Amino acid sequence: MAQPETRVTKQRLAVAEALGEVDDFATAQELHRWLVDTQKKVSLATVYRLLQSMADDGLVDVLRSGDGEARFRQCLTEVHHHHLVCRVCSKTVEVLAPAVERWAARVAQENGFTDPEHTVEIYGLCEECRRAAS
């Protein structure tokens, strides 16, 4: 069944603009603060709802911090991907991982599942933070 087309509203455009202004992942509260500071009238609840909708549509990446808070950014690539995340500075790199895709499909099939979906975040130290710690 086809997905219903998502309406493009002023609020959705404002949230997309806010996402375009951040270099890395941002929380809904941080994006809302930017919207307030730039005189855009979008409630925090609407920011949360729009970010979830954009994530569902594959337009934004979502990472969960250690305390479970969601952080968002516009996808840099349009294909399914995963992330390398620095534990110190939170620098994030998008990576394609065809071996992970094959593994997920195989594990699902072996267990009688279909249409597997997954997210993979690999946490480590980026080169700059590793050098700084040396």
Side-chain angles (χ1 to χ4, degrees):
M1 186 159 95
Q3 293 274 59
E5 196 168 311
T6 304
R7 263 181 12 126
V8 178
T9 62
K10 288 187 298 186
Q11 291 89 353
R12 188 176 177 99
L13 290 173
V15 170
E17 181 183 353
L19 282 164
E21 291 296 319
V22 296
D23 293 332
D24 205 357
F25 285 83
T27 65
Q29 292 90 347
E30 291 166 341
L31 293 168
H32 181 256
R33 197 170 314 118
W34 184 88
L35 290 164
V36 169
D37 291 347
T38 58
Q39 313 286 312
K40 305 284 196 288
K41 295 193 183 297
V42 183
S43 73
L44 181 57
T46 298
V47 171
Y48 273 107
R49 183 179 49 76
L50 289 171
L51 287 169
Q52 185 58 57
S53 171
M54 294 166 91
D56 292 345
D57 292 344
L59 301 174
V60 298
D61 288 327
V62 183
L63 285 180
R64 298 254 174 224
S65 63
D67 62 2
E69 184 173 29
R71 301 182 70 79
F72 304 87
R73 85 168 176 192
Q74 286 179 327
C75 293
L76 302 177
T77 180
E78 293 182 13
V79 297
H80 179 73
H81 57 275
H82 305 285
H83 302 100
L84 291 169
V85 183
C86 180
R87 287 190 302 262
V88 175
C89 71
S90 297
K91 174 182 177 180
T92 305
V93 177
E94 293 182 354
V95 293
L96 301 179
V100 171
E101 308 313 318
R102 289 189 298 274
W103 173 81
R106 188 188 81 240
V107 168
Q109 182 181 25
E110 288 171 356
N111 289 281
F113 283 70
T114 60
D115 302 319
E117 294 180 9
H118 62 276
T119 58
V120 174
E121 276 81 48
I122 302 168
Y123 292 86
L125 292 177
C126 71
E127 186 176 353
E128 290 176 22
C129 291
R130 189 178 67 246
R131 267 193 261 134
S134 300

mmCIF file of all heavy atoms in Angstrom, residues 90-115:
data_model
loop_
_atom_site.group_PDB
_atom_site.id
_atom_site.type_symbol
_atom_site.label_atom_id
_atom_site.label_comp_id
_atom_site.label_asym_id
_atom_site.label_seq_id
_atom_site.Cartn_x
_atom_site.Cartn_y
_atom_site.Cartn_z
ATOM 1 N N SER A 90 31.389 13.578 19.827
ATOM 2 C CA SER A 90 30.156 13.239 19.107
ATOM 3 C C SER A 90 30.243 13.425 17.599
ATOM 4 O O SER A 90 29.231 13.388 16.905
ATOM 5 C CB SER A 90 28.957 14.034 19.641
ATOM 6 O OG SER A 90 28.737 13.699 20.989
ATOM 7 N N LYS A 91 31.457 13.618 17.059
ATOM 8 C CA LYS A 91 31.613 13.659 15.602
ATOM 9 C C LYS A 91 30.982 12.388 15.046
ATOM 10 O O LYS A 91 31.160 11.296 15.585
ATOM 11 C CB LYS A 91 33.084 13.718 15.220
ATOM 12 C CG LYS A 91 33.320 13.621 13.726
ATOM 13 C CD LYS A 91 34.800 13.623 13.387
ATOM 14 C CE LYS A 91 34.983 13.446 11.892
ATOM 15 N NZ LYS A 91 36.405 13.454 11.538
ATOM 16 N N THR A 92 30.233 12.544 13.956
ATOM 17 C CA THR A 92 29.514 11.406 13.395
ATOM 18 C C THR A 92 29.830 11.274 11.912
ATOM 19 O O THR A 92 29.832 12.263 11.185
ATOM 20 C CB THR A 92 27.999 11.571 13.581
ATOM 21 O OG1 THR A 92 27.737 11.780 14.977
ATOM 22 C CG2 THR A 92 27.243 10.353 13.114
ATOM 23 N N VAL A 93 30.097 10.049 11.485
ATOM 24 C CA VAL A 93 30.388 9.754 10.091
ATOM 25 C C VAL A 93 29.369 8.727 9.621
ATOM 26 O O VAL A 93 29.127 7.727 10.300
ATOM 27 C CB VAL A 93 31.817 9.184 9.932
ATOM 28 C CG1 VAL A 93 32.098 8.805 8.483
ATOM 29 C CG2 VAL A 93 32.852 10.166 10.450
ATOM 30 N N GLU A 94 28.749 8.987 8.467
ATOM 31 C CA GLU A 94 27.819 8.022 7.890
ATOM 32 C C GLU A 94 28.616 6.970 7.133
ATOM 33 O O GLU A 94 29.553 7.297 6.403
ATOM 34 C CB GLU A 94 26.840 8.719 6.947
ATOM 35 C CG GLU A 94 25.909 9.649 7.671
ATOM 36 C CD GLU A 94 24.889 10.325 6.765
ATOM 37 O OE1 GLU A 94 24.963 10.165 5.530
ATOM 38 O OE2 GLU A 94 24.016 11.014 7.307
ATOM 39 N N VAL A 95 28.251 5.698 7.329
ATOM 40 C CA VAL A 95 28.946 4.607 6.649
ATOM 41 C C VAL A 95 27.938 3.650 6.027
ATOM 42 O O VAL A 95 26.874 3.397 6.582
ATOM 43 C CB VAL A 95 29.885 3.833 7.614
ATOM 44 C CG1 VAL A 95 31.038 4.706 8.071
ATOM 45 C CG2 VAL A 95 29.136 3.287 8.799
ATOM 46 N N LEU A 96 28.292 3.152 4.868
ATOM 47 C CA LEU A 96 27.518 2.091 4.230
ATOM 48 C C LEU A 96 28.122 0.775 4.694
ATOM 49 O O LEU A 96 29.336 0.662 4.848
ATOM 50 C CB LEU A 96 27.595 2.210 2.712
ATOM 51 C CG LEU A 96 27.085 3.526 2.130
ATOM 52 C CD1 LEU A 96 27.239 3.539 0.617
ATOM 53 C CD2 LEU A 96 25.646 3.765 2.522
ATOM 54 N N ALA A 97 27.294 -0.212 4.947
ATOM 55 C CA ALA A 97 27.785 -1.478 5.475
ATOM 56 C C ALA A 97 27.022 -2.642 4.842
ATOM 57 O O ALA A 97 26.154 -3.241 5.469
ATOM 58 C CB ALA A 97 27.652 -1.494 6.995
ATOM 59 N N PRO A 98 27.348 -2.958 3.589
ATOM 60 C CA PRO A 98 26.621 -4.050 2.927
ATOM 61 C C PRO A 98 26.718 -5.381 3.661
ATOM 62 O O PRO A 98 25.774 -6.167 3.646
ATOM 63 C CB PRO A 98 27.249 -4.128 1.531
ATOM 64 C CG PRO A 98 28.411 -3.206 1.529
ATOM 65 C CD PRO A 98 28.351 -2.344 2.738
ATOM 66 N N ALA A 99 27.823 -5.636 4.353
ATOM 67 C CA ALA A 99 27.945 -6.885 5.114
ATOM 68 C C ALA A 99 26.917 -6.928 6.241
ATOM 69 O O ALA A 99 26.353 -7.988 6.538
ATOM 70 C CB ALA A 99 29.363 -7.037 5.660
ATOM 71 N N VAL A 100 26.646 -5.785 6.877
ATOM 72 C CA VAL A 100 25.637 -5.718 7.942
ATOM 73 C C VAL A 100 24.254 -5.988 7.352
ATOM 74 O O VAL A 100 23.440 -6.695 7.962
ATOM 75 C CB VAL A 100 25.676 -4.350 8.659
ATOM 76 C CG1 VAL A 100 24.494 -4.193 9.603
ATOM 77 C CG2 VAL A 100 26.986 -4.178 9.403
ATOM 78 N N GLU A 101 23.991 -5.440 6.176
ATOM 79 C CA GLU A 101 22.691 -5.648 5.529
ATOM 80 C C GLU A 101 22.475 -7.123 5.222
ATOM 81 O O GLU A 101 21.399 -7.669 5.491
ATOM 82 C CB GLU A 101 22.580 -4.824 4.242
ATOM 83 C CG GLU A 101 22.897 -3.343 4.380
ATOM 84 C CD GLU A 101 22.225 -2.672 5.550
ATOM 85 O OE1 GLU A 101 21.039 -2.937 5.804
ATOM 86 O OE2 GLU A 101 22.893 -1.876 6.224
ATOM 87 N N ARG A 102 23.506 -7.776 4.692
ATOM 88 C CA ARG A 102 23.393 -9.206 4.382
ATOM 89 C C ARG A 102 23.206 -10.019 5.661
ATOM 90 O O ARG A 102 22.386 -10.930 5.717
ATOM 91 C CB ARG A 102 24.627 -9.681 3.609
ATOM 92 C CG ARG A 102 24.692 -9.144 2.178
ATOM 93 C CD ARG A 102 25.800 -9.805 1.371
ATOM 94 N NE ARG A 102 27.132 -9.568 1.925
ATOM 95 C CZ ARG A 102 27.893 -8.506 1.659
ATOM 96 N NH1 ARG A 102 27.452 -7.565 0.852
ATOM 97 N NH2 ARG A 102 29.094 -8.393 2.197
ATOM 98 N N TRP A 103 23.955 -9.674 6.705
ATOM 99 C CA TRP A 103 23.842 -10.366 7.983
ATOM 100 C C TRP A 103 22.431 -10.222 8.557
ATOM 101 O O TRP A 103 21.826 -11.204 8.998
ATOM 102 C CB TRP A 103 24.885 -9.819 8.962
ATOM 103 C CG TRP A 103 24.725 -10.352 10.349
ATOM 104 C CD1 TRP A 103 25.157 -11.552 10.830
ATOM 105 C CD2 TRP A 103 24.046 -9.703 11.429
ATOM 106 N NE1 TRP A 103 24.800 -11.688 12.152
ATOM 107 C CE2 TRP A 103 24.112 -10.564 12.543
ATOM 108 C CE3 TRP A 103 23.391 -8.485 11.569
ATOM 109 C CZ2 TRP A 103 23.548 -10.249 13.774
ATOM 110 C CZ3 TRP A 103 22.835 -8.158 12.795
ATOM 111 C CH2 TRP A 103 22.917 -9.035 13.884
ATOM 112 N N ALA A 104 21.893 -9.012 8.555
ATOM 113 C CA ALA A 104 20.548 -8.781 9.104
ATOM 114 C C ALA A 104 19.506 -9.581 8.325
ATOM 115 O O ALA A 104 18.610 -10.191 8.917
ATOM 116 C CB ALA A 104 20.216 -7.293 9.075
ATOM 117 N N ALA A 105 19.617 -9.598 7.008
ATOM 118 C CA ALA A 105 18.665 -10.353 6.185
ATOM 119 C C ALA A 105 18.774 -11.850 6.475
ATOM 120 O O ALA A 105 17.761 -12.546 6.602
ATOM 121 C CB ALA A 105 18.910 -10.066 4.707
ATOM 122 N N ARG A 106 20.019 -12.343 6.604
ATOM 123 C CA ARG A 106 20.220 -13.773 6.874
ATOM 124 C C ARG A 106 19.672 -14.167 8.240
ATOM 125 O O ARG A 106 18.960 -15.158 8.374
ATOM 126 C CB ARG A 106 21.707 -14.125 6.776
ATOM 127 C CG ARG A 106 21.945 -15.643 6.857
ATOM 128 C CD ARG A 106 23.400 -16.024 6.946
ATOM 129 N NE ARG A 106 23.835 -15.868 8.335
ATOM 130 C CZ ARG A 106 24.800 -15.074 8.758
ATOM 131 N NH1 ARG A 106 25.488 -14.363 7.912
ATOM 132 N NH2 ARG A 106 25.097 -15.002 10.045
ATOM 133 N N VAL A 107 19.972 -13.369 9.279
ATOM 134 C CA VAL A 107 19.493 -13.680 10.631
ATOM 135 C C VAL A 107 17.965 -13.649 10.673
ATOM 136 O O VAL A 107 17.334 -14.520 11.283
ATOM 137 C CB VAL A 107 20.110 -12.705 11.667
ATOM 138 C CG1 VAL A 107 19.406 -12.811 13.007
ATOM 139 C CG2 VAL A 107 21.593 -12.967 11.805
ATOM 140 N N ALA A 108 17.381 -12.675 10.009
ATOM 141 C CA ALA A 108 15.918 -12.606 9.974
ATOM 142 C C ALA A 108 15.348 -13.850 9.301
ATOM 143 O O ALA A 108 14.432 -14.486 9.829
ATOM 144 C CB ALA A 108 15.476 -11.340 9.238
ATOM 145 N N GLN A 109 15.891 -14.197 8.146
ATOM 146 C CA GLN A 109 15.395 -15.363 7.403
ATOM 147 C C GLN A 109 15.568 -16.645 8.218
ATOM 148 O O GLN A 109 14.646 -17.470 8.300
ATOM 149 C CB GLN A 109 16.135 -15.487 6.071
ATOM 150 C CG GLN A 109 15.632 -16.643 5.232
ATOM 151 C CD GLN A 109 16.395 -16.767 3.932
ATOM 152 O OE1 GLN A 109 17.535 -16.342 3.822
ATOM 153 N NE2 GLN A 109 15.746 -17.355 2.944
ATOM 154 N N GLU A 110 16.706 -16.814 8.856
ATOM 155 C CA GLU A 110 16.963 -18.017 9.652
ATOM 156 C C GLU A 110 15.975 -18.166 10.806
ATOM 157 O O GLU A 110 15.738 -19.271 11.283
ATOM 158 C CB GLU A 110 18.392 -17.986 10.221
ATOM 159 C CG GLU A 110 19.463 -18.217 9.183
ATOM 160 C CD GLU A 110 20.869 -17.971 9.711
ATOM 161 O OE1 GLU A 110 21.022 -17.535 10.888
ATOM 162 O OE2 GLU A 110 21.821 -18.198 8.938
ATOM 163 N N ASN A 111 15.399 -17.064 11.227
ATOM 164 C CA ASN A 111 14.465 -17.082 12.345
ATOM 165 C C ASN A 111 13.021 -16.865 11.922
ATOM 166 O O ASN A 111 12.154 -16.609 12.761
ATOM 167 C CB ASN A 111 14.889 -16.034 13.392
ATOM 168 C CG ASN A 111 16.149 -16.462 14.111
ATOM 169 O OD1 ASN A 111 16.096 -17.295 15.006
ATOM 170 N ND2 ASN A 111 17.286 -15.928 13.686
ATOM 171 N N GLY A 112 12.766 -16.967 10.626
ATOM 172 C CA GLY A 112 11.403 -16.876 10.123
ATOM 173 C C GLY A 112 10.845 -15.460 10.058
ATOM 174 O O GLY A 112 9.634 -15.281 9.985
ATOM 175 N N PHE A 113 11.708 -14.458 10.079
ATOM 176 C CA PHE A 113 11.257 -13.074 9.997
ATOM 177 C C PHE A 113 11.410 -12.559 8.569
ATOM 178 O O PHE A 113 12.278 -13.022 7.821
ATOM 179 C CB PHE A 113 12.081 -12.174 10.931
ATOM 180 C CG PHE A 113 11.694 -12.285 12.380
ATOM 181 C CD1 PHE A 113 11.969 -13.439 13.105
ATOM 182 C CD2 PHE A 113 11.078 -11.228 13.026
ATOM 183 C CE1 PHE A 113 11.630 -13.550 14.430
ATOM 184 C CE2 PHE A 113 10.732 -11.329 14.365
ATOM 185 C CZ PHE A 113 11.008 -12.486 15.074
ATOM 186 N N THR A 114 10.589 -11.592 8.215
ATOM 187 C CA THR A 114 10.720 -10.919 6.926
ATOM 188 C C THR A 114 10.794 -9.415 7.162
ATOM 189 O O THR A 114 10.483 -8.924 8.249
ATOM 190 C CB THR A 114 9.518 -11.217 6.004
ATOM 191 O OG1 THR A 114 8.325 -10.757 6.641
ATOM 192 C CG2 THR A 114 9.406 -12.697 5.690
ATOM 193 N N ASP A 115 11.190 -8.695 6.148
ATOM 194 C CA ASP A 115 11.266 -7.231 6.189
ATOM 195 C C ASP A 115 12.043 -6.705 7.393
ATOM 196 O O ASP A 115 11.547 -5.850 8.142
ATOM 197 C CB ASP A 115 9.859 -6.612 6.181
ATOM 198 C CG ASP A 115 9.055 -7.026 4.973
ATOM 199 O OD1 ASP A 115 9.642 -7.079 3.875
ATOM 200 O OD2 ASP A 115 7.856 -7.301 5.121
#
